[in-house]
mmCIF file with all atom_site columns, all heavy atoms in Angstrom:
data_model
loop_
_atom_site.group_PDB
_atom_site.id
_atom_site.type_symbol
_atom_site.label_atom_id
_atom_site.label_alt_id
_atom_site.label_comp_id
_atom_site.label_asym_id
_atom_site.label_entity_id
_atom_site.label_seq_id
_atom_site.pdbx_PDB_ins_code
_atom_site.Cartn_x
_atom_site.Cartn_y
_atom_site.Cartn_z
_atom_site.occupancy
_atom_site.B_iso_or_equiv
_atom_site.pdbx_formal_charge
_atom_site.auth_seq_id
_atom_site.auth_comp_id
_atom_site.auth_asym_id
_atom_site.auth_atom_id
_atom_site.pdbx_PDB_model_num
ATOM 1   N N   . ILE A 1 63 ? -3.369  -3.886 -8.410  1.00 97.00 ? 63 ILE A N   1
ATOM 2   C CA  . ILE A 1 63 ? -4.665  -4.567 -8.416  1.00 97.00 ? 63 ILE A CA  1
ATOM 3   C C   . ILE A 1 63 ? -5.263  -4.401 -7.026  1.00 97.00 ? 63 ILE A C   1
ATOM 4   O O   . ILE A 1 63 ? -4.730  -4.919 -6.040  1.00 97.00 ? 63 ILE A O   1
ATOM 5   C CB  . ILE A 1 63 ? -4.515  -6.053 -8.766  1.00 97.00 ? 63 ILE A CB  1
ATOM 6   C CG1 . ILE A 1 63 ? -3.823  -6.211 -10.127 1.00 97.00 ? 63 ILE A CG1 1
ATOM 7   C CG2 . ILE A 1 63 ? -5.876  -6.737 -8.786  1.00 97.00 ? 63 ILE A CG2 1
ATOM 8   C CD1 . ILE A 1 63 ? -3.578  -7.658 -10.528 1.00 97.00 ? 63 ILE A CD1 1
ATOM 9   N N   . PHE A 1 64 ? -6.362  -3.646 -6.937  1.00 95.00 ? 64 PHE A N   1
ATOM 10  C CA  . PHE A 1 64 ? -7.008  -3.357 -5.662  1.00 95.00 ? 64 PHE A CA  1
ATOM 11  C C   . PHE A 1 64 ? -8.169  -4.329 -5.443  1.00 95.00 ? 64 PHE A C   1
ATOM 12  O O   . PHE A 1 64 ? -9.001  -4.515 -6.336  1.00 95.00 ? 64 PHE A O   1
ATOM 13  C CB  . PHE A 1 64 ? -7.560  -1.935 -5.641  1.00 95.00 ? 64 PHE A CB  1
ATOM 14  C CG  . PHE A 1 64 ? -6.514  -0.858 -5.615  1.00 95.00 ? 64 PHE A CG  1
ATOM 15  C CD1 . PHE A 1 64 ? -5.871  -0.454 -6.775  1.00 95.00 ? 64 PHE A CD1 1
ATOM 16  C CD2 . PHE A 1 64 ? -6.177  -0.226 -4.425  1.00 95.00 ? 64 PHE A CD2 1
ATOM 17  C CE1 . PHE A 1 64 ? -4.920  0.551  -6.763  1.00 95.00 ? 64 PHE A CE1 1
ATOM 18  C CE2 . PHE A 1 64 ? -5.226  0.784  -4.395  1.00 95.00 ? 64 PHE A CE2 1
ATOM 19  C CZ  . PHE A 1 64 ? -4.589  1.168  -5.562  1.00 95.00 ? 64 PHE A CZ  1
ATOM 20  N N   . PHE A 1 65 ? -8.223  -4.896 -4.248  1.00 94.00 ? 65 PHE A N   1
ATOM 21  C CA  . PHE A 1 65 ? -9.285  -5.839 -3.907  1.00 94.00 ? 65 PHE A CA  1
ATOM 22  C C   . PHE A 1 65 ? -10.269 -5.201 -2.932  1.00 94.00 ? 65 PHE A C   1
ATOM 23  O O   . PHE A 1 65 ? -9.885  -4.402 -2.075  1.00 94.00 ? 65 PHE A O   1
ATOM 24  C CB  . PHE A 1 65 ? -8.688  -7.120 -3.319  1.00 94.00 ? 65 PHE A CB  1
ATOM 25  C CG  . PHE A 1 65 ? -7.752  -7.796 -4.273  1.00 94.00 ? 65 PHE A CG  1
ATOM 26  C CD1 . PHE A 1 65 ? -6.383  -7.610 -4.172  1.00 94.00 ? 65 PHE A CD1 1
ATOM 27  C CD2 . PHE A 1 65 ? -8.240  -8.589 -5.306  1.00 94.00 ? 65 PHE A CD2 1
ATOM 28  C CE1 . PHE A 1 65 ? -5.511  -8.205 -5.068  1.00 94.00 ? 65 PHE A CE1 1
ATOM 29  C CE2 . PHE A 1 65 ? -7.382  -9.188 -6.214  1.00 94.00 ? 65 PHE A CE2 1
ATOM 30  C CZ  . PHE A 1 65 ? -6.020  -9.001 -6.093  1.00 94.00 ? 65 PHE A CZ  1
ATOM 31  N N   . GLY A 1 66 ? -11.547 -5.560 -3.071  1.00 88.00 ? 66 GLY A N   1
ATOM 32  C CA  . GLY A 1 66 ? -12.584 -4.995 -2.216  1.00 88.00 ? 66 GLY A CA  1
ATOM 33  C C   . GLY A 1 66 ? -12.621 -5.657 -0.854  1.00 88.00 ? 66 GLY A C   1
ATOM 34  O O   . GLY A 1 66 ? -12.363 -6.846 -0.716  1.00 88.00 ? 66 GLY A O   1
ATOM 35  N N   . GLY A 1 67 ? -12.982 -4.853 0.156   1.00 86.00 ? 67 GLY A N   1
ATOM 36  C CA  . GLY A 1 67 ? -12.994 -5.355 1.521   1.00 86.00 ? 67 GLY A CA  1
ATOM 37  C C   . GLY A 1 67 ? -11.639 -5.247 2.170   1.00 86.00 ? 67 GLY A C   1
ATOM 38  O O   . GLY A 1 67 ? -10.635 -4.937 1.523   1.00 86.00 ? 67 GLY A O   1
ATOM 39  N N   . CYS A 1 68 ? -11.590 -5.498 3.480   1.00 88.00 ? 68 CYS A N   1
ATOM 40  C CA  . CYS A 1 68 ? -10.319 -5.433 4.210   1.00 88.00 ? 68 CYS A CA  1
ATOM 41  C C   . CYS A 1 68 ? -10.496 -6.118 5.559   1.00 88.00 ? 68 CYS A C   1
ATOM 42  O O   . CYS A 1 68 ? -11.524 -5.941 6.219   1.00 88.00 ? 68 CYS A O   1
ATOM 43  C CB  . CYS A 1 68 ? -9.904  -3.975 4.423   1.00 88.00 ? 68 CYS A CB  1
ATOM 44  S SG  . CYS A 1 68 ? -8.370  -3.777 5.360   1.00 88.00 ? 68 CYS A SG  1
ATOM 45  N N   . ASN A 1 69 ? -9.486  -6.864 5.981   1.00 87.00 ? 69 ASN A N   1
ATOM 46  C CA  . ASN A 1 69 ? -9.604  -7.565 7.263   1.00 87.00 ? 69 ASN A CA  1
ATOM 47  C C   . ASN A 1 69 ? -9.179  -6.701 8.444   1.00 87.00 ? 69 ASN A C   1
ATOM 48  O O   . ASN A 1 69 ? -9.323  -7.105 9.589   1.00 87.00 ? 69 ASN A O   1
ATOM 49  C CB  . ASN A 1 69 ? -8.789  -8.863 7.242   1.00 87.00 ? 69 ASN A CB  1
ATOM 50  C CG  . ASN A 1 69 ? -7.304  -8.631 7.379   1.00 87.00 ? 69 ASN A CG  1
ATOM 51  O OD1 . ASN A 1 69 ? -6.747  -7.719 6.750   1.00 87.00 ? 69 ASN A OD1 1
ATOM 52  N ND2 . ASN A 1 69 ? -6.639  -9.446 8.176   1.00 87.00 ? 69 ASN A ND2 1
ATOM 53  N N   . LEU A 1 70 ? -8.663  -5.483 8.178   1.00 88.00 ? 70 LEU A N   1
ATOM 54  C CA  . LEU A 1 70 ? -8.304  -4.587 9.274   1.00 88.00 ? 70 LEU A CA  1
ATOM 55  C C   . LEU A 1 70 ? -9.361  -3.493 9.438   1.00 88.00 ? 70 LEU A C   1
ATOM 56  O O   . LEU A 1 70 ? -9.884  -3.285 10.521  1.00 88.00 ? 70 LEU A O   1
ATOM 57  C CB  . LEU A 1 70 ? -6.921  -3.976 9.052   1.00 88.00 ? 70 LEU A CB  1
ATOM 58  C CG  . LEU A 1 70 ? -6.391  -3.135 10.224  1.00 88.00 ? 70 LEU A CG  1
ATOM 59  C CD1 . LEU A 1 70 ? -6.312  -3.963 11.506  1.00 88.00 ? 70 LEU A CD1 1
ATOM 60  C CD2 . LEU A 1 70 ? -5.018  -2.551 9.892   1.00 88.00 ? 70 LEU A CD2 1
ATOM 61  N N   . GLY A 1 71 ? -9.666  -2.785 8.376   1.00 85.00 ? 71 GLY A N   1
ATOM 62  C CA  . GLY A 1 71 ? -10.766 -1.833 8.410   1.00 85.00 ? 71 GLY A CA  1
ATOM 63  C C   . GLY A 1 71 ? -10.538 -0.603 9.258   1.00 85.00 ? 71 GLY A C   1
ATOM 64  O O   . GLY A 1 71 ? -11.328 -0.301 10.155  1.00 85.00 ? 71 GLY A O   1
ATOM 65  N N   . CYS A 1 72 ? -9.472  0.142  8.983   1.00 86.00 ? 72 CYS A N   1
ATOM 66  C CA  . CYS A 1 72 ? -9.212  1.377  9.727   1.00 86.00 ? 72 CYS A CA  1
ATOM 67  C C   . CYS A 1 72 ? -10.293 2.409  9.429   1.00 86.00 ? 72 CYS A C   1
ATOM 68  O O   . CYS A 1 72 ? -10.699 2.593  8.281   1.00 86.00 ? 72 CYS A O   1
ATOM 69  C CB  . CYS A 1 72 ? -7.850  1.949  9.338   1.00 86.00 ? 72 CYS A CB  1
ATOM 70  S SG  . CYS A 1 72 ? -6.468  0.841  9.676   1.00 86.00 ? 72 CYS A SG  1
ATOM 71  N N   . SER A 1 73 ? -10.729 3.106  10.448  1.00 86.00 ? 73 SER A N   1
ATOM 72  C CA  . SER A 1 73 ? -11.803 4.091  10.288  1.00 86.00 ? 73 SER A CA  1
ATOM 73  C C   . SER A 1 73 ? -11.425 5.207  9.335   1.00 86.00 ? 73 SER A C   1
ATOM 74  O O   . SER A 1 73 ? -12.293 5.780  8.668   1.00 86.00 ? 73 SER A O   1
ATOM 75  C CB  . SER A 1 73 ? -12.176 4.688  11.650  1.00 86.00 ? 73 SER A CB  1
ATOM 76  O OG  . SER A 1 73 ? -12.683 3.705  12.507  1.00 86.00 ? 73 SER A OG  1
ATOM 77  N N   . PHE A 1 74 ? -10.143 5.549  9.242   1.00 86.00 ? 74 PHE A N   1
ATOM 78  C CA  . PHE A 1 74 ? -9.716  6.692  8.433   1.00 86.00 ? 74 PHE A CA  1
ATOM 79  C C   . PHE A 1 74 ? -9.327  6.312  7.004   1.00 86.00 ? 74 PHE A C   1
ATOM 80  O O   . PHE A 1 74 ? -8.856  7.153  6.248   1.00 86.00 ? 74 PHE A O   1
ATOM 81  C CB  . PHE A 1 74 ? -8.534  7.404  9.090   1.00 86.00 ? 74 PHE A CB  1
ATOM 82  C CG  . PHE A 1 74 ? -7.343  6.513  9.348   1.00 86.00 ? 74 PHE A CG  1
ATOM 83  C CD1 . PHE A 1 74 ? -6.540  6.066  8.314   1.00 86.00 ? 74 PHE A CD1 1
ATOM 84  C CD2 . PHE A 1 74 ? -7.035  6.119  10.638  1.00 86.00 ? 74 PHE A CD2 1
ATOM 85  C CE1 . PHE A 1 74 ? -5.448  5.245  8.557   1.00 86.00 ? 74 PHE A CE1 1
ATOM 86  C CE2 . PHE A 1 74 ? -5.946  5.300  10.902  1.00 86.00 ? 74 PHE A CE2 1
ATOM 87  C CZ  . PHE A 1 74 ? -5.146  4.866  9.847   1.00 86.00 ? 74 PHE A CZ  1
ATOM 88  N N   . CYS A 1 75 ? -9.522  5.081  6.598   1.00 84.00 ? 75 CYS A N   1
ATOM 89  C CA  . CYS A 1 75 ? -8.989  4.590  5.327   1.00 84.00 ? 75 CYS A CA  1
ATOM 90  C C   . CYS A 1 75 ? -9.369  5.487  4.148   1.00 84.00 ? 75 CYS A C   1
ATOM 91  O O   . CYS A 1 75 ? -10.550 5.767  3.917   1.00 84.00 ? 75 CYS A O   1
ATOM 92  C CB  . CYS A 1 75 ? -9.480  3.169  5.065   1.00 84.00 ? 75 CYS A CB  1
ATOM 93  S SG  . CYS A 1 75 ? -8.796  2.437  3.556   1.00 84.00 ? 75 CYS A SG  1
ATOM 94  N N   . GLN A 1 76 ? -8.366  5.915  3.383   1.00 84.00 ? 76 GLN A N   1
ATOM 95  C CA  . GLN A 1 76 ? -8.628  6.769  2.225   1.00 84.00 ? 76 GLN A CA  1
ATOM 96  C C   . GLN A 1 76 ? -9.257  5.984  1.072   1.00 84.00 ? 76 GLN A C   1
ATOM 97  O O   . GLN A 1 76 ? -9.797  6.579  0.138   1.00 84.00 ? 76 GLN A O   1
ATOM 98  C CB  . GLN A 1 76 ? -7.341  7.447  1.756   1.00 84.00 ? 76 GLN A CB  1
ATOM 99  C CG  . GLN A 1 76 ? -6.298  6.489  1.194   1.00 84.00 ? 76 GLN A CG  1
ATOM 100 C CD  . GLN A 1 76 ? -5.030  7.210  0.772   1.00 84.00 ? 76 GLN A CD  1
ATOM 101 O OE1 . GLN A 1 76 ? -4.729  8.310  1.238   1.00 84.00 ? 76 GLN A OE1 1
ATOM 102 N NE2 . GLN A 1 76 ? -4.286  6.604  -0.149  1.00 84.00 ? 76 GLN A NE2 1
#
Side-chain angles (χ1 to χ4, degrees):
I63 303 178
F64 291 81
F65 301 98
C68 178
N69 76 317
L70 186 58
C72 300
S73 297
F74 57 72
C75 183
Q76 66 181 22

